[in-house]
DNA sequence: ATAGGGTTAG
């Protein structure tokens, strides 16, 4: 059978992390039945593809082909179908072979980033296959499929375990595996391990993606110098940079205040490196310019772009206006964004925050009424921390955790304790229409504070705390983390939607400018 | 029998 695999149908990977919550995969799936025509519209050829499932019993091979097909198409609706086919396989007692296992993991992993829960499903599936059936061996494809799921959910311990599995199966010398490990370690907050994996690849085997992964790693951890040095090493080793290299390099420069360096790379990328700037590069430039206070120039750059500025570019301008506290330009950017991506509540929240900071309460109220009228709600912030391989998830004001009492007790004492060394709670980051007292309450129970407090309570002295948040870290929590890192002498690494913050001895690697 | 590629802005 000839398969029409569309390899171009790749999923856009989003940095926005989602938590990994364990769920019994097979139990869930066994409640499902195969209702193919009801739930999804499928391409004609897929109908033909599903035909072999009517055999009794269907062969492992039929399943493998379907999983492969669905991976190539990877979209949400087809993943639903994938679930059902997986359920079908379980119900018919067909045991996965190494081959179907790889396909299955790839299927869940490739679609897992856009929707909560699928990355964890891929991870659970992987774990079960490693445990339940020793006949099933991971191959390098299984590994490079599953590692991004660890990266996405910031599951460092699980990632380390998978690295161990690689060593055990002799896969750790495979250059694609090594390359994927760099990304996993970097996104799970361990830059040192990422570097170690990079160094392990023999210089001749360091391909474009390995370099891109390493430069991205430095960029997201705010190590601009290393970013530029790695870029220079890459050039020296004869690997041509591509558009992704420059995205990483430019964002690395902006994350660490190297605005001039970043801008000069932007200007030379087209002429010297023959890489045509794309939307994301313009988004970086807007960001770079705003960091040297040139917001007006940023707006002019957008006006002169050779292509239509998309939401990414206007989003960068909105963030830049917030950074420069320029309400006028913020309104221009927001106006565009409300048309281009009306469903993105983050834009309304950011503009509303700016109005609030400027004391324009009427506009704040207008926005709130608008959001309410359209049934939109601010997406809830959540943070999680992995301890002994388990992810503990917190939502702001959450009391559901078994250790909630201890956590809240610590969060009552901590602000008082760190006030003595200069901390003042900043309620301007909490912009609901509520009293100061209530504001304070919601501020002290932000999800990232809950996760940090939980981490302090459940780890040994000196152990690094790695917290991940689905949104941008709040300014007050940022200050809070600095003081906590100081009095507890703890390194706290927070990954937010944009970048990493390394807190140590009362300072943050972002230099308070992010 | 199947033979699949990791990286992306604010």
């Amino acid at each position: 059978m000839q398969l029409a695999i569309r390899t171009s149908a790749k999923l856009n990977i989003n940095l926005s992390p989602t938590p990994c919550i364990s769920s019994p995969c097979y139990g869930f799936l066994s409640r499902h039945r195969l209702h193919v025509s009801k739930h999804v519209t499928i391409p004609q050829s897929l109908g033909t593809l599903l035909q072999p499932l009517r055999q009794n019993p269907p062969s492992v091979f039929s399943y493998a082909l379907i999983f492969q097909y669905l991976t190539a198409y990877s979209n949400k609706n087809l993943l639903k179908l994938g679930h059902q086919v997986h359920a079908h396989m379980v119900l018919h007692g067909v045991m996965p072979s190494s081959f179907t296992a790889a396909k299955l993991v790839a299927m869940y992993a490739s679609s897992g980033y856009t929707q909560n829960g699928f990355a964890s499903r891929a991870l659970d599936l992987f774990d079960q296959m490693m445990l339940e059936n020793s006949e099933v061996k991971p191959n390098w494809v299984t590994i490079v499929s599953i590692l991004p799921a660890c990266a996405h959910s910031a599951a460092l311990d699980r990632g380390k375990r998978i690295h161990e599995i690689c060593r055990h199966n002799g896969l750790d010398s495979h250059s694609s595996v090594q390359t994927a490990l760099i990304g996993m370690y970097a996104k799970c907050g361990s830059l040192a391990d990422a570097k170690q994996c990079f160094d392990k690849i023999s210089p001749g085997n360091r391909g474009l993606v390995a370099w891109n992964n390493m430069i991205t790693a430095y960029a997201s951890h705010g190590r601009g110098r290393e970013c530029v040095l790695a870029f220079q090493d890459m050039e020296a080793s004869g690997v041509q940079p591509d558009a992704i290299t420059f995205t990483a390099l430019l964002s690395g420069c902006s994350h660490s205040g190297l605005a001039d360096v970043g801008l000069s790379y932007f200007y030379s990328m087209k002429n010297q490196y023959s890489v045509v700037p794309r939307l994301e590069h313009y988004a970086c430039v807007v960001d770079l310019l705003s960091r040297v206070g040139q917001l007006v120039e940023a707006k002019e750059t957008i006006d002169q772009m050779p292509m239509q500025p998309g939401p990414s570019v206007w989003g960068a301008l909105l963030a830049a206006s917030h950074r420069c506290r320029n309400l006028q330009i913020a309104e221009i950017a927001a106006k565009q964004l409300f048309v281009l991506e009306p469903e993105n509540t983050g834009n309304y929240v950011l503009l509303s925050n700016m109005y609030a900071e400027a004391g324009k309460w009427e506009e704040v109220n207008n926005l709130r009424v608008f959001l309410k009228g359209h049934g939109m709600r601010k997406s809830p912030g959540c943070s999680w921390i992995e301890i002994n391989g388990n992810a503990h998830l917190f939502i702001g004001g959450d009391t559901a955790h078994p250790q909630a009492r201890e956590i809240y007790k610590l969060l009552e004492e901590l602000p008082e304790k760190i006030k003595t060394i200069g901390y003042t709670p900043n309620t301007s980051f909490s912009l609901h229409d509520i009293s100061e007292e209530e504001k304070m309450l919601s501020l002290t129970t932000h999800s990232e504070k809950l996760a940090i407090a939980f981490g302090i309570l459940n780890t040994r002295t000196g152990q690094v705390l790695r917290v991940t948040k689905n949104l941008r870290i709040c300014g007050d929590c940022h200050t809070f983390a600095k003081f906590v890192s100081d009095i507890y002498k703890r390194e706290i690494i927070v990954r937010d939607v944009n970048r990493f913050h390394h807190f140590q001895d009362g300072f943050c690697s972002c230099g308070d400018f992010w």
Side-chain angles (χ1 to χ4, degrees), chain A residues 284-305:
Chain A
C284 286
V285 167
V286 166
D287 191 73
L288 285 163
L289 287 169
S290 77
R291 282 168 199 267
V292 283
Q294 302 187 5
L295 196 62
V296 177
E297 287 79 354
K299 170 71 174 60
E300 284 169 5
T301 307
I302 295 179
D303 294 336
Q304 290 159 15
M305 279 170 60

Side-chain angles (χ1 to χ4, degrees), chain A residues 103-314:
Chain A
K103 299 280 187 222
L104 250 183
V105 168
M107 181 184 77
Y108 282 113
S110 67
S111 312
Y113 310 112
T114 48
Q115 226 185 3
N116 241 322
F118 287 134
S120 23
R121 189 148 305 147
L123 284 164
D124 287 344
L125 187 66
F126 179 84
D127 285 351
Q128 285 191 20
M129 283 171 174
M130 294 305 111
L131 291 176
E132 279 180 11
N133 187 344
S134 56
E135 312 250 309
V136 177
K137 292 263 184 291
N139 59 23
W140 69 271
V141 180
T142 324
I143 300 296
V144 298
S145 304
I146 200 63
L147 284 176
C150 296
H152 183 74
S153 37
L156 180 61
D157 288 347
R158 285 181 112 152
K160 279 184 173 163
R161 229 185 305 145
I162 292 169
H163 192 174
E164 200 52 57
I165 291 171
C166 292
R167 288 193 198 98
H168 196 252
N169 290 278
L171 293 166
D172 60 327
S173 53
H174 194 290
S175 66
S176 298
V177 170
Q178 291 170 320
T179 301
L181 283 168
I182 300 170
M184 181 279 289
Y185 278 121
K187 289 217 176 70
C188 291
S190 180
L191 190 57
D193 284 314
K195 179 66 166 55
Q196 213 171 54
C197 291
F198 178 80
D199 288 340
K200 256 203 170 149
I201 309 177
S202 61
N205 283 331
R206 283 173 199 155
L208 176 65
V209 183
W211 283 105
N212 283 355
N213 259 349
M214 200 58 231
I215 296 171
T216 304
Y218 285 134
S220 63
H221 284 268
R223 308 281 276 265
R225 279 283 155 232
E226 286 92 334
C227 219
V228 172
L229 287 174
F231 179 78
Q232 288 167 349
D233 287 348
M234 174 185 181
E235 272 192 285
S237 73
V239 176
Q240 289 296 320
D242 71 349
I244 293 170
T245 319
F246 279 100
T247 312
L249 180 62
L250 298 182
S251 76
C253 289
S254 74
H255 281 167
S256 55
L258 299 174
D260 296 336
V261 181
L263 286 169
S264 76
Y265 272 121
F266 174 73
Y267 296 125
S268 67
M269 64 185 277
K270 196 173 169 183
N271 301 329
Q272 206 177 322
Y273 300 94
S274 319
V275 179
V276 180
R278 303 197 300 211
L279 282 176
E280 55 269 35
H281 302 110
Y282 283 97
C284 286
V285 167
V286 166
D287 191 73
L288 285 163
L289 287 169
S290 77
R291 282 168 199 267
V292 283
Q294 302 187 5
L295 196 62
V296 177
E297 287 79 354
K299 170 71 174 60
E300 284 169 5
T301 307
I302 295 179
D303 294 336
Q304 290 159 15
M305 279 170 60
M307 69 282 257
Q308 280 290 356
S312 56
V313 178
W314 292 117

Side-chain angles (χ1 to χ4, degrees), chain A residues 20 22 157-158 161 385-393 454:
Chain A
C20 169
S22 290
D157 288 347
R158 285 181 112 152
R161 229 185 305 145
I385 182 168
E386 195 193 42
I387 291 175
N388 299 327
N390 295 315
H392 297 263
L393 176 82
F454 177 78

